Amino acid sequence: MTAPRERTVVVDGKALASTLRSEIQHEIARLVAAGHRPPCLAVVLVGDNPASMSYIKGKRRACERAGMTSREHDLPADATQEDVVDLVEALNRDASVDGILVQLPLPKPLDASAVIEAIDPAKDVDGLTTHNAGRLVAGLPGLRPCTPLGILAVLERHAVPIEGASAVVIGRSILVGKPISLLLLERNATVTICHSRTRDLAGVVREADILVAAAGSPRLVKGDWIRPGAAVIDLGVNIVDGVQHGDVDFDAALGVAGLLTPSRGGVGPLTITMLLRNTLEAYQTRHGLRS
Ligand code: NAP
């Protein structure tokens, strides 16, 4: 017998993002009212990839609405590695810049890892430098990657118990799988990380109180893999025949999962929100304003 769909809380990522953004906006308004300048995010775009240009537009709008300054630094598609690194280093030295984001992917043959490594860790609002990744592994404070922070925000704002929970993460990327695994471990979950060589993926997933699916494989997770009542976070953005699918079979998960994020409008809107929060945090830390 199929359980009623109402048993599943479907996360409204847009609404949650809006709540969190107004909290950030209030904090910035408070700082500005106290005589401080607003935080400033510098975004570096190399080339004219339409998807990147659209993401940057969204980020600029989000910054403006939150009361932050957003600065764009565009370089041509044929910019050299040295051009990009020189720009990042100039932004590192610029005291009016609090956060630096290099929009990925970079055009070939640029080496994205070397560019990211050039970012001052104190301004690394994407949390992708090895310095900040190392601090996460070491359990030290630092800027964390935005998408994993968005996942935590979903779990925490829906009061999903993390401590002691069995958390299964599908995917071990540096962007999502590894950092979210460490963040859940930091919050005392018992974490299992799965990947393409995992044996009996279905059996492992069935043990999960919290499932994070970040594989990039459409409808990989079937309804009968999900433990009844589990919190299921679907990161997958997979376009098949023009239709977006997550890594979880959404319809089959309804009525089984206790909480479920849709592929569209789930964690996605929270990623930019966490970029704003990281920029605010970087600003407060650099100016000794953290409460
Ligand atoms: P990625 O770098 O391609 O990593 C995918 C991971 O999933 C790899 O570790 C891979 O294993 C594993 N995997 C792939 N197929 C699998 C399978 N059939 N069974 C078990 N494991 C499998 O991807 P990513 O950057 O982490 O992104 C993952 C997904 O999240 C993508 O769909 C991406 O578009 C989406 N995403 C969404 C957001 C958002 O804000 N909503 C943000 C970032 C990413 P191996 O390591 O063994 O290859």
Side-chain angles (χ1 to χ4, degrees):
M1 199 176 75
T2 313
R5 290 178 162 221
E6 306 82 68
R7 275 202 200 150
T8 303
V9 172
V10 177
V11 172
D12 183 343
K14 268 192 176 171
L16 179 53
S18 162
T19 304
L20 295 173
R21 283 183 203 191
S22 59
E23 290 172 11
I24 293 165
Q25 192 181 4
H26 281 115
E27 178 61 10
I28 293 171
R30 193 185 64 76
L31 289 165
V32 170
H36 302 285
R37 68 159 173 81
C40 171
L41 173 69
V43 179
V44 175
L45 174 68
V46 186
D48 53 5
N49 177 321
S52 293
M53 289 168 81
S54 152
Y55 290 141
I56 284 188
K57 202 169 143 197
K59 286 168 185 169
R60 188 196 320 128
R61 209 177 305 132
C63 280
E64 283 164 4
R65 285 190 186 147
M68 284 186 192
T69 312
S70 143
R71 273 173 40 185
E72 265 171 56
H73 297 267
D74 297 347
L75 289 175
D78 61 357
T80 64
Q81 185 80 18
E82 201 184 359
D83 294 335
V84 188
V85 170
D86 283 353
L87 172 57
V88 167
E89 287 175 347
L91 295 171
N92 286 343
R93 290 189 298 272
D94 187 335
S96 67
V97 169
D98 304 296
I100 302 170
L101 180 140
V102 177
Q103 185 63 47
L104 301 177
L106 293 177
K108 283 181 184 156
L110 295 176
D111 175 359
S113 309
V115 171
I116 302 281
E117 280 308 286
I119 299 172
D120 177 349
K123 298 187 179 186
D124 169 28
V125 285
D126 251 347
L128 294 177
T129 56
T130 53
H131 179 95
N132 279 320
R135 290 184 72 83
L136 173 58
V137 173
L140 295 169
L143 291 162
R144 313 301 197 204
C146 299
T147 300
L149 286 179
I151 297 171
L152 282 187
V154 168
L155 295 173
E156 288 169 358
R157 295 289 172 131
H158 288 84
V160 173
I162 299 178
E163 181 159 326
S166 162
V168 172
V169 176
I170 310 179
R172 54 178 164 178
S173 73
I174 203 76
L175 204 64
V176 188
K178 281 181 187 156
I180 188 57
S181 301
L182 289 163
L183 287 167
L184 289 167
L185 183 64
E186 208 170 56
R187 282 154 185 77
N188 297 315
T190 303
V191 183
T192 306
I193 307 175
C194 302
H195 45 78
S196 62
R197 318 286 166 86
T198 296
R199 265 187 266 132
D200 187 20
L201 183 63
V204 179
V205 169
R206 282 193 186 104
E207 297 300 315
D209 301 312
I210 297 171
L211 171 66
V212 177
S217 177
R219 289 178 288 184
L220 171 70
V221 176
K222 314 299 174 212
D224 66 355
W225 293 16
I226 296 168
R227 189 174 192 166
V232 177
I233 308 291
D234 186 356
L235 270 293
V237 177
N238 310 291
I239 310 296
V240 183
D241 297 332
V243 179
Q244 183 171 325
H245 295 280
D247 288 348
V248 176
D249 184 337
F250 184 85
D251 289 335
L254 278 175
V256 183
L259 175 127
L260 179 61
T261 66
S263 170
R264 192 185 284 277
V267 177
L270 291 160
T271 299
I272 294 186
T273 308
M274 293 301 133
L275 175 69
L276 300 178
R277 203 164 84 180
N278 272 353
T279 305
L280 174 59
E281 188 181 316
Y283 163 89
Q284 290 172 315
T285 305
R286 290 181 60 247
H287 292 87
L289 293 169
R290 293 206 70 186
S291 41

